[in-house]
Short mmCIF file of all heavy atoms in Angstrom, two decimals:
data_model
loop_
_atom_site.label_atom_id
_atom_site.label_comp_id
_atom_site.label_asym_id
_atom_site.label_seq_id
_atom_site.Cartn_x
_atom_site.Cartn_y
_atom_site.Cartn_z
N MET A 288 0.86 -1.19 0.00
CA MET A 288 0.00 0.00 0.00
C MET A 288 0.90 1.25 0.00
O MET A 288 1.87 1.32 0.73
CB MET A 288 -0.90 -0.02 1.24
CG MET A 288 -1.76 1.21 1.36
SD MET A 288 -2.80 1.16 2.82
CE MET A 288 -3.93 -0.16 2.40
N ASN A 289 0.55 2.24 -0.80
CA ASN A 289 1.37 3.45 -0.83
C ASN A 289 0.84 4.49 0.16
O ASN A 289 -0.21 4.31 0.79
CB ASN A 289 1.45 4.03 -2.24
CG ASN A 289 0.09 4.42 -2.77
OD1 ASN A 289 -0.77 4.87 -2.02
ND2 ASN A 289 -0.12 4.24 -4.05
N ALA A 290 1.58 5.56 0.31
CA ALA A 290 1.25 6.56 1.34
C ALA A 290 -0.10 7.21 1.08
O ALA A 290 -0.84 7.53 2.01
CB ALA A 290 2.35 7.61 1.39
N ALA A 291 -0.46 7.40 -0.19
CA ALA A 291 -1.73 8.05 -0.51
C ALA A 291 -2.91 7.19 -0.04
O ALA A 291 -3.88 7.70 0.53
CB ALA A 291 -1.82 8.30 -2.01
N ASP A 292 -2.81 5.89 -0.30
CA ASP A 292 -3.88 4.99 0.14
C ASP A 292 -3.92 4.91 1.66
O ASP A 292 -4.97 4.87 2.27
CB ASP A 292 -3.65 3.58 -0.43
CG ASP A 292 -4.01 3.51 -1.91
OD1 ASP A 292 -4.79 4.37 -2.37
OD2 ASP A 292 -3.51 2.61 -2.58
N PHE A 293 -2.75 4.87 2.26
CA PHE A 293 -2.66 4.78 3.71
C PHE A 293 -3.33 5.99 4.36
O PHE A 293 -4.00 5.87 5.39
CB PHE A 293 -1.19 4.69 4.12
CG PHE A 293 -0.98 4.58 5.61
CD1 PHE A 293 -1.23 3.38 6.26
CD2 PHE A 293 -0.53 5.66 6.35
CE1 PHE A 293 -1.04 3.28 7.63
CE2 PHE A 293 -0.34 5.56 7.71
CZ PHE A 293 -0.59 4.36 8.34
N ASP A 294 -3.17 7.15 3.76
CA ASP A 294 -3.74 8.39 4.29
C ASP A 294 -5.25 8.34 4.35
O ASP A 294 -5.87 9.03 5.16
CB ASP A 294 -3.31 9.56 3.40
CG ASP A 294 -2.35 10.47 4.13
OD1 ASP A 294 -1.86 10.07 5.20
OD2 ASP A 294 -2.12 11.59 3.63
N LYS A 295 -5.87 7.54 3.50
CA LYS A 295 -7.33 7.47 3.45
C LYS A 295 -7.90 6.61 4.58
O LYS A 295 -9.10 6.62 4.81
CB LYS A 295 -7.79 6.89 2.10
CG LYS A 295 -7.47 7.80 0.93
CD LYS A 295 -7.86 7.10 -0.37
CE LYS A 295 -7.23 7.81 -1.57
NZ LYS A 295 -7.19 6.93 -2.76
N LEU A 296 -7.06 5.83 5.22
CA LEU A 296 -7.55 4.93 6.26
C LEU A 296 -7.90 5.71 7.53
O LEU A 296 -7.36 6.79 7.79
CB LEU A 296 -6.48 3.89 6.59
CG LEU A 296 -6.08 2.95 5.44
CD1 LEU A 296 -4.96 2.04 5.90
CD2 LEU A 296 -7.25 2.13 4.96
N SER A 297 -8.76 5.11 8.31
CA SER A 297 -9.05 5.70 9.62
C SER A 297 -7.88 5.41 10.56
O SER A 297 -7.05 4.53 10.30
CB SER A 297 -10.33 5.09 10.18
OG SER A 297 -10.11 3.73 10.52
N ASP A 298 -7.83 6.15 11.67
CA ASP A 298 -6.74 5.93 12.62
C ASP A 298 -6.73 4.49 13.12
O ASP A 298 -5.68 3.90 13.36
CB ASP A 298 -6.90 6.88 13.82
CG ASP A 298 -6.54 8.31 13.42
OD1 ASP A 298 -5.92 8.47 12.34
OD2 ASP A 298 -6.87 9.23 14.15
N GLU A 299 -7.93 3.95 13.29
CA GLU A 299 -8.03 2.58 13.79
C GLU A 299 -7.39 1.61 12.80
O GLU A 299 -6.66 0.71 13.18
CB GLU A 299 -9.51 2.23 13.96
CG GLU A 299 -9.76 1.23 15.06
CD GLU A 299 -11.25 1.13 15.35
OE1 GLU A 299 -11.93 0.46 14.56
OE2 GLU A 299 -11.72 1.72 16.34
N GLU A 300 -7.68 1.82 11.52
CA GLU A 300 -7.10 0.94 10.50
C GLU A 300 -5.60 1.13 10.39
O GLU A 300 -4.85 0.19 10.15
CB GLU A 300 -7.78 1.20 9.15
CG GLU A 300 -9.18 0.67 9.08
CD GLU A 300 -9.90 1.13 7.82
OE1 GLU A 300 -9.88 2.33 7.52
OE2 GLU A 300 -10.47 0.27 7.15
N LYS A 301 -5.15 2.34 10.56
CA LYS A 301 -3.72 2.62 10.43
C LYS A 301 -2.89 1.86 11.46
O LYS A 301 -1.72 1.58 11.24
CB LYS A 301 -3.45 4.12 10.59
CG LYS A 301 -3.82 4.90 9.34
CD LYS A 301 -3.60 6.38 9.57
CE LYS A 301 -4.00 7.17 8.33
NZ LYS A 301 -3.96 8.62 8.54
N GLU A 302 -3.51 1.56 12.59
CA GLU A 302 -2.78 0.82 13.62
C GLU A 302 -2.37 -0.57 13.15
O GLU A 302 -1.50 -1.18 13.74
CB GLU A 302 -3.63 0.72 14.89
CG GLU A 302 -3.71 2.03 15.64
CD GLU A 302 -4.52 1.89 16.91
OE1 GLU A 302 -4.76 0.74 17.34
OE2 GLU A 302 -4.92 2.92 17.46
N HIS A 303 -3.07 -1.06 12.13
CA HIS A 303 -2.77 -2.41 11.65
C HIS A 303 -1.61 -2.41 10.65
O HIS A 303 -1.23 -3.45 10.15
CB HIS A 303 -3.99 -3.02 10.96
CG HIS A 303 -5.15 -3.18 11.87
ND1 HIS A 303 -6.24 -3.97 11.56
CD2 HIS A 303 -5.42 -2.67 13.09
CE1 HIS A 303 -7.12 -3.92 12.55
NE2 HIS A 303 -6.65 -3.13 13.48
N PHE A 304 -1.06 -1.25 10.37
CA PHE A 304 -0.02 -1.16 9.35
C PHE A 304 1.29 -0.66 9.94
O PHE A 304 1.30 0.07 10.93
CB PHE A 304 -0.45 -0.21 8.24
CG PHE A 304 -1.56 -0.75 7.37
CD1 PHE A 304 -2.87 -0.69 7.80
CD2 PHE A 304 -1.28 -1.34 6.15
CE1 PHE A 304 -3.90 -1.20 7.01
CE2 PHE A 304 -2.29 -1.84 5.36
CZ PHE A 304 -3.61 -1.78 5.78
N PHE A 305 2.37 -1.06 9.33
CA PHE A 305 3.64 -0.40 9.62
C PHE A 305 4.30 -0.06 8.30
O PHE A 305 4.02 -0.68 7.27
CB PHE A 305 4.53 -1.27 10.50
CG PHE A 305 5.18 -2.43 9.76
CD1 PHE A 305 6.47 -2.31 9.25
CD2 PHE A 305 4.51 -3.62 9.62
CE1 PHE A 305 7.07 -3.36 8.58
CE2 PHE A 305 5.10 -4.69 8.94
CZ PHE A 305 6.38 -4.56 8.43
N GLN A 306 5.17 0.95 8.32
CA GLN A 306 5.84 1.33 7.09
C GLN A 306 7.16 0.58 6.97
O GLN A 306 7.99 0.62 7.88
CB GLN A 306 6.08 2.83 7.06
CG GLN A 306 6.62 3.27 5.70
CD GLN A 306 6.66 4.78 5.56
OE1 GLN A 306 6.67 5.51 6.56
NE2 GLN A 306 6.70 5.26 4.33
N CYS A 307 7.33 -0.11 5.88
CA CYS A 307 8.55 -0.86 5.65
C CYS A 307 9.72 0.10 5.50
O CYS A 307 9.68 1.01 4.68
CB CYS A 307 8.40 -1.72 4.41
SG CYS A 307 9.92 -2.56 3.96
N PRO A 308 10.76 -0.06 6.30
CA PRO A 308 11.91 0.85 6.22
C PRO A 308 12.69 0.70 4.93
O PRO A 308 13.42 1.60 4.54
CB PRO A 308 12.76 0.47 7.44
CG PRO A 308 12.32 -0.90 7.82
CD PRO A 308 10.91 -1.06 7.35
N LYS A 309 12.55 -0.43 4.28
CA LYS A 309 13.34 -0.65 3.06
C LYS A 309 12.67 -0.05 1.83
O LYS A 309 13.31 0.66 1.06
CB LYS A 309 13.53 -2.16 2.84
CG LYS A 309 14.65 -2.73 3.65
CD LYS A 309 14.92 -4.16 3.22
CE LYS A 309 15.87 -4.85 4.17
NZ LYS A 309 15.89 -6.30 3.95
N CYS A 310 11.38 -0.34 1.64
CA CYS A 310 10.74 0.09 0.40
C CYS A 310 9.70 1.18 0.64
O CYS A 310 9.17 1.75 -0.31
CB CYS A 310 10.11 -1.11 -0.31
SG CYS A 310 8.66 -1.79 0.51
N GLY A 311 9.40 1.50 1.90
CA GLY A 311 8.47 2.59 2.18
C GLY A 311 7.01 2.20 2.04
O GLY A 311 6.13 3.04 2.20
N ASP A 312 6.75 0.94 1.72
CA ASP A 312 5.38 0.48 1.58
C ASP A 312 4.73 0.35 2.95
O ASP A 312 5.40 0.09 3.94
CB ASP A 312 5.40 -0.89 0.89
CG ASP A 312 4.23 -1.08 -0.04
OD1 ASP A 312 3.46 -0.12 -0.25
OD2 ASP A 312 4.08 -2.19 -0.56
N PHE A 313 3.40 0.53 2.98
CA PHE A 313 2.67 0.30 4.21
C PHE A 313 2.15 -1.13 4.21
O PHE A 313 1.47 -1.55 3.29
CB PHE A 313 1.53 1.31 4.35
CG PHE A 313 2.03 2.69 4.66
CD1 PHE A 313 2.35 3.56 3.64
CD2 PHE A 313 2.23 3.09 5.97
CE1 PHE A 313 2.83 4.84 3.92
CE2 PHE A 313 2.71 4.35 6.26
CZ PHE A 313 3.02 5.22 5.23
N VAL A 314 2.48 -1.86 5.26
CA VAL A 314 2.26 -3.29 5.29
C VAL A 314 1.21 -3.63 6.34
O VAL A 314 1.31 -3.20 7.49
CB VAL A 314 3.58 -4.03 5.63
CG1 VAL A 314 3.37 -5.53 5.57
CG2 VAL A 314 4.69 -3.59 4.69
N ASP A 315 0.21 -4.40 5.92
CA ASP A 315 -0.84 -4.84 6.83
C ASP A 315 -0.29 -5.93 7.75
O ASP A 315 0.09 -7.00 7.31
CB ASP A 315 -2.01 -5.38 6.00
CG ASP A 315 -3.21 -5.73 6.86
OD1 ASP A 315 -3.08 -5.80 8.10
OD2 ASP A 315 -4.29 -5.93 6.28
N LYS A 316 -0.27 -5.65 9.03
CA LYS A 316 0.31 -6.61 9.98
C LYS A 316 -0.54 -7.85 10.16
O LYS A 316 -0.11 -8.83 10.75
CB LYS A 316 0.53 -5.93 11.34
CG LYS A 316 1.67 -4.93 11.30
CD LYS A 316 2.01 -4.41 12.68
CE LYS A 316 0.99 -3.37 13.12
NZ LYS A 316 1.42 -2.65 14.33
N CYS A 317 -1.79 -7.80 9.68
CA CYS A 317 -2.66 -8.98 9.77
C CYS A 317 -2.33 -9.99 8.67
O CYS A 317 -2.82 -11.10 8.69
CB CYS A 317 -4.12 -8.58 9.67
SG CYS A 317 -4.66 -7.66 11.10
N GLU A 318 -1.52 -9.59 7.71
CA GLU A 318 -1.15 -10.48 6.62
C GLU A 318 0.28 -10.95 6.85
O GLU A 318 1.24 -10.28 6.47
CB GLU A 318 -1.24 -9.76 5.28
CG GLU A 318 -2.66 -9.37 4.91
CD GLU A 318 -3.32 -10.44 4.06
OE1 GLU A 318 -2.65 -11.45 3.75
OE2 GLU A 318 -4.48 -10.27 3.72
N LEU A 319 0.39 -12.10 7.49
CA LEU A 319 1.71 -12.59 7.89
C LEU A 319 2.66 -12.66 6.71
O LEU A 319 3.82 -12.31 6.82
CB LEU A 319 1.55 -13.98 8.52
CG LEU A 319 2.87 -14.63 8.97
CD1 LEU A 319 3.55 -13.80 10.02
CD2 LEU A 319 2.60 -16.03 9.51
N ARG A 320 2.16 -13.10 5.58
CA ARG A 320 3.04 -13.27 4.43
C ARG A 320 3.61 -11.93 3.98
O ARG A 320 4.77 -11.85 3.59
CB ARG A 320 2.27 -13.95 3.29
CG ARG A 320 3.17 -14.46 2.20
CD ARG A 320 2.48 -15.46 1.34
NE ARG A 320 1.39 -14.85 0.58
CZ ARG A 320 0.68 -15.47 -0.34
NH1 ARG A 320 0.92 -16.74 -0.58
NH2 ARG A 320 -0.28 -14.88 -0.97
N ASN A 321 2.78 -10.90 4.02
CA ASN A 321 3.26 -9.57 3.64
C ASN A 321 4.35 -9.10 4.60
O ASN A 321 5.36 -8.53 4.19
CB ASN A 321 2.11 -8.56 3.68
CG ASN A 321 1.21 -8.71 2.47
OD1 ASN A 321 1.52 -9.45 1.55
ND2 ASN A 321 0.09 -8.02 2.50
N VAL A 322 4.09 -9.31 5.89
CA VAL A 322 5.05 -8.85 6.90
C VAL A 322 6.39 -9.54 6.68
O VAL A 322 7.44 -8.89 6.64
CB VAL A 322 4.52 -9.14 8.31
CG1 VAL A 322 5.56 -8.79 9.35
CG2 VAL A 322 3.24 -8.35 8.56
N ILE A 323 6.35 -10.85 6.51
CA ILE A 323 7.59 -11.60 6.34
C ILE A 323 8.29 -11.18 5.05
O ILE A 323 9.51 -11.02 5.02
CB ILE A 323 7.30 -13.11 6.35
CG1 ILE A 323 6.83 -13.50 7.75
CG2 ILE A 323 8.53 -13.91 5.95
CD1 ILE A 323 6.37 -14.93 7.88
N PHE A 324 7.51 -10.94 4.01
CA PHE A 324 8.06 -10.48 2.74
C PHE A 324 8.90 -9.21 2.94
O PHE A 324 10.01 -9.09 2.45
CB PHE A 324 6.90 -10.22 1.78
CG PHE A 324 7.31 -9.65 0.44
CD1 PHE A 324 7.57 -10.48 -0.63
CD2 PHE A 324 7.38 -8.28 0.25
CE1 PHE A 324 7.92 -9.95 -1.86
CE2 PHE A 324 7.72 -7.74 -0.98
CZ PHE A 324 8.00 -8.58 -2.04
N HIS A 325 8.35 -8.28 3.72
CA HIS A 325 9.01 -6.98 3.86
C HIS A 325 10.14 -7.00 4.89
O HIS A 325 11.13 -6.29 4.71
CB HIS A 325 7.99 -5.90 4.23
CG HIS A 325 7.16 -5.48 3.05
ND1 HIS A 325 7.60 -4.57 2.12
CD2 HIS A 325 5.93 -5.87 2.64
CE1 HIS A 325 6.66 -4.41 1.19
NE2 HIS A 325 5.65 -5.18 1.49
N VAL A 326 9.98 -7.76 5.95
CA VAL A 326 11.04 -7.73 6.97
C VAL A 326 12.21 -8.64 6.61
O VAL A 326 13.24 -8.57 7.24
CB VAL A 326 10.52 -8.10 8.38
CG1 VAL A 326 9.45 -7.11 8.82
CG2 VAL A 326 10.03 -9.52 8.43
N THR A 327 12.04 -9.46 5.58
CA THR A 327 13.16 -10.30 5.17
C THR A 327 13.79 -9.73 3.89
O THR A 327 14.35 -8.65 3.91
CB THR A 327 12.74 -11.77 5.00
OG1 THR A 327 11.70 -11.84 4.04
CG2 THR A 327 12.25 -12.33 6.32
N ASP A 328 13.61 -10.41 2.78
CA ASP A 328 14.39 -10.04 1.59
C ASP A 328 13.54 -9.58 0.42
O ASP A 328 14.04 -9.46 -0.69
CB ASP A 328 15.26 -11.22 1.18
CG ASP A 328 14.43 -12.51 1.08
OD1 ASP A 328 13.20 -12.43 1.10
OD2 ASP A 328 15.04 -13.58 0.99
N HIS A 329 12.27 -9.30 0.64
CA HIS A 329 11.38 -8.85 -0.44
C HIS A 329 11.27 -9.86 -1.57
O HIS A 329 11.13 -9.50 -2.72
CB HIS A 329 11.80 -7.48 -0.98
CG HIS A 329 11.52 -6.37 -0.01
ND1 HIS A 329 12.36 -6.06 1.02
CD2 HIS A 329 10.48 -5.51 0.09
CE1 HIS A 329 11.86 -5.05 1.71
NE2 HIS A 329 10.71 -4.71 1.18
N LYS A 330 11.34 -11.13 -1.21
CA LYS A 330 11.10 -12.18 -2.20
C LYS A 330 9.85 -12.94 -1.78
O LYS A 330 9.63 -13.15 -0.58
CB LYS A 330 12.30 -13.12 -2.29
CG LYS A 330 13.48 -12.45 -2.95
CD LYS A 330 14.68 -13.38 -3.02
CE LYS A 330 15.87 -12.62 -3.59
NZ LYS A 330 17.14 -13.20 -3.16
N PRO A 331 9.05 -13.37 -2.76
CA PRO A 331 7.80 -14.08 -2.42
C PRO A 331 8.06 -15.34 -1.62
O PRO A 331 9.04 -16.04 -1.84
CB PRO A 331 7.22 -14.42 -3.80
CG PRO A 331 7.88 -13.50 -4.75
CD PRO A 331 9.24 -13.19 -4.19
N LYS A 332 7.16 -15.59 -0.67
CA LYS A 332 7.27 -16.79 0.16
C LYS A 332 5.97 -17.59 0.01
O LYS A 332 5.10 -17.52 0.87
CB LYS A 332 7.44 -16.42 1.64
CG LYS A 332 8.54 -15.41 1.91
CD LYS A 332 9.85 -16.11 2.12
CE LYS A 332 10.90 -15.13 2.59
NZ LYS A 332 11.33 -14.21 1.54
N PRO A 333 5.84 -18.31 -1.09
CA PRO A 333 4.55 -18.96 -1.38
C PRO A 333 4.16 -20.03 -0.38
O PRO A 333 2.98 -20.39 -0.30
CB PRO A 333 4.76 -19.55 -2.78
CG PRO A 333 6.22 -19.58 -3.00
CD PRO A 333 6.83 -18.51 -2.14
N HIS A 334 5.11 -20.55 0.38
CA HIS A 334 4.78 -21.61 1.32
C HIS A 334 4.15 -21.07 2.59
O HIS A 334 3.67 -21.82 3.41
CB HIS A 334 6.03 -22.42 1.67
CG HIS A 334 7.13 -21.60 2.24
ND1 HIS A 334 7.91 -20.78 1.46
CD2 HIS A 334 7.57 -21.44 3.50
CE1 HIS A 334 8.80 -20.16 2.24
NE2 HIS A 334 8.61 -20.54 3.48
N ILE A 335 4.17 -19.74 2.75
CA ILE A 335 3.57 -19.17 3.96
C ILE A 335 2.10 -18.88 3.70
O ILE A 335 1.78 -18.23 2.71
CB ILE A 335 4.30 -17.87 4.35
CG1 ILE A 335 5.76 -18.20 4.66
CG2 ILE A 335 3.61 -17.20 5.54
CD1 ILE A 335 6.61 -16.99 4.88
N PRO A 336 1.23 -19.36 4.54
CA PRO A 336 -0.20 -19.13 4.33
C PRO A 336 -0.53 -17.64 4.40
O PRO A 336 0.11 -16.88 5.13
CB PRO A 336 -0.87 -19.91 5.45
CG PRO A 336 0.19 -20.14 6.46
CD PRO A 336 1.51 -20.13 5.74
N ARG A 337 -1.52 -17.22 3.63
CA ARG A 337 -1.85 -15.81 3.52
C ARG A 337 -2.53 -15.31 4.78
O ARG A 337 -2.42 -14.15 5.13
CB ARG A 337 -2.78 -15.63 2.32
CG ARG A 337 -2.80 -14.23 1.77
CD ARG A 337 -3.74 -14.17 0.59
NE ARG A 337 -5.12 -14.16 1.02
CZ ARG A 337 -5.76 -13.05 1.41
NH1 ARG A 337 -5.16 -11.91 1.38
NH2 ARG A 337 -7.01 -13.10 1.80
N ILE A 338 -3.27 -16.18 5.40
CA ILE A 338 -4.17 -15.71 6.44
C ILE A 338 -3.65 -15.95 7.84
O ILE A 338 -3.13 -16.98 8.17
CB ILE A 338 -5.52 -16.44 6.33
CG1 ILE A 338 -6.24 -15.84 5.17
CG2 ILE A 338 -6.34 -16.26 7.59
CD1 ILE A 338 -6.23 -14.34 5.25
N ILE A 339 -3.84 -14.92 8.60
CA ILE A 339 -3.66 -15.06 10.03
C ILE A 339 -4.55 -14.02 10.67
O ILE A 339 -5.36 -13.43 10.00
CB ILE A 339 -2.22 -14.82 10.46
CG1 ILE A 339 -1.67 -13.89 9.43
CG2 ILE A 339 -1.43 -16.06 10.63
CD1 ILE A 339 -1.10 -12.78 9.92
N GLY A 340 -4.38 -13.78 11.91
CA GLY A 340 -5.20 -12.77 12.57
C GLY A 340 -6.52 -13.33 13.03
O GLY A 340 -7.33 -12.61 13.60
N LYS A 341 -6.76 -14.61 12.79
CA LYS A 341 -7.97 -15.21 13.36
C LYS A 341 -7.71 -15.54 14.83
O LYS A 341 -6.60 -15.98 15.17
CB LYS A 341 -8.30 -16.52 12.64
CG LYS A 341 -8.90 -16.32 11.27
CD LYS A 341 -9.32 -17.66 10.72
CE LYS A 341 -9.83 -17.53 9.31
NZ LYS A 341 -10.11 -18.83 8.70
N PRO A 342 -8.70 -15.34 15.67
CA PRO A 342 -8.49 -15.69 17.07
C PRO A 342 -8.29 -17.19 17.23
O PRO A 342 -8.85 -17.98 16.47
CB PRO A 342 -9.78 -15.24 17.75
CG PRO A 342 -10.77 -15.07 16.66
CD PRO A 342 -10.01 -14.82 15.39
N MET A 343 -7.47 -17.55 18.18
CA MET A 343 -7.28 -18.97 18.45
C MET A 343 -8.56 -19.55 18.98
O MET A 343 -9.26 -18.91 19.78
CB MET A 343 -6.18 -19.17 19.50
CG MET A 343 -4.82 -18.71 19.03
SD MET A 343 -4.13 -19.81 17.78
CE MET A 343 -3.71 -21.21 18.79
N PRO A 344 -8.91 -20.77 18.57
CA PRO A 344 -10.12 -21.38 19.14
C PRO A 344 -9.95 -21.60 20.62
O PRO A 344 -8.86 -21.96 21.08
CB PRO A 344 -10.23 -22.71 18.38
CG PRO A 344 -8.89 -22.96 17.77
CD PRO A 344 -8.20 -21.64 17.63
N GLU A 345 -11.01 -21.37 21.32
CA GLU A 345 -10.91 -21.55 22.77
C GLU A 345 -10.88 -23.02 23.11
O GLU A 345 -11.58 -23.82 22.53
CB GLU A 345 -12.10 -20.89 23.46
CG GLU A 345 -11.93 -19.39 23.58
CD GLU A 345 -12.99 -18.80 24.50
OE1 GLU A 345 -13.35 -19.47 25.48
OE2 GLU A 345 -13.45 -17.69 24.20
N ARG A 346 -10.04 -23.36 24.05
CA ARG A 346 -9.99 -24.75 24.51
C ARG A 346 -11.23 -25.03 25.35
O ARG A 346 -11.62 -24.20 26.17
CB ARG A 346 -8.75 -24.99 25.36
CG ARG A 346 -7.47 -24.87 24.57
CD ARG A 346 -6.32 -24.84 25.52
NE ARG A 346 -6.30 -26.04 26.35
CZ ARG A 346 -5.35 -26.97 26.31
NH1 ARG A 346 -4.38 -26.82 25.46
NH2 ARG A 346 -5.38 -28.02 27.08
N PRO A 347 -11.81 -26.17 25.13
CA PRO A 347 -12.96 -26.50 26.00
C PRO A 347 -12.53 -26.61 27.45
O PRO A 347 -11.46 -27.15 27.74
CB PRO A 347 -13.45 -27.85 25.47
CG PRO A 347 -12.36 -28.37 24.60
CD PRO A 347 -11.48 -27.21 24.20
N SER A 348 -13.32 -26.05 28.33
CA SER A 348 -12.95 -26.11 29.73
C SER A 348 -13.37 -27.45 30.31
O SER A 348 -14.23 -28.12 29.78
CB SER A 348 -13.60 -24.96 30.50
OG SER A 348 -14.99 -25.01 30.31
N GLY A 349 -12.77 -27.78 31.41
CA GLY A 349 -13.08 -29.08 32.00
C GLY A 349 -12.31 -30.17 31.29
O GLY A 349 -11.70 -29.95 30.25
N ASP A 350 -12.32 -31.33 31.82
CA ASP A 350 -11.54 -32.41 31.23
C ASP A 350 -12.25 -33.72 31.42
O ASP A 350 -12.74 -33.99 32.48
CB ASP A 350 -10.15 -32.47 31.87
CG ASP A 350 -9.21 -33.27 30.98
OD1 ASP A 350 -9.07 -32.88 29.80
OD2 ASP A 350 -8.68 -34.27 31.44
ZN1 ZN B 425 9.27 -3.50 1.92
#
């Protein structure tokens, strides 16, 4: 995401992004693959699943 698009987001949405120090892109922290792409070497990592940010399922209580 570029700075112009980032500017259109609400403050709440902006909290989910950080600016990549290497390329200046705004990266959605909920997208693990994007984050890893930017904090490593900017090469695609197809083996990393796209989705994260889902809450962990709650463990059933009791045993
Ligand atoms: Zn980057």
Side-chain angles (χ1 to χ4, degrees):
M288 177 180 291
N289 61 35
D292 285 338
F293 180 76
D294 249 12
K295 294 175 195 161
L296 298 176
S297 69
D298 287 345
E299 210 170 78
E300 287 171 310
K301 283 177 182 173
E302 286 182 15
H303 298 195
F304 289 81
F305 75 95
Q306 187 171 21
C307 174
K309 278 188 190 167
C310 70
D312 216 6
F313 288 89
V314 184
D315 186 347
K316 288 188 283 191
C317 292
E318 294 267 359
L319 179 61
R320 193 162 67 174
N321 284 352
V322 175
I323 293 174
F324 176 92
H325 284 278
V326 300
T327 58
D328 50 12
H329 289 82
K330 289 179 185 155
K332 309 271 189 288
H334 58 284
I335 298 172
R337 201 179 77 83
I338 285 311
I339 28 127
K341 285 186 185 174
M343 295 289 287
E345 281 191 35
R346 294 169 58 114
S348 56
D350 198 57

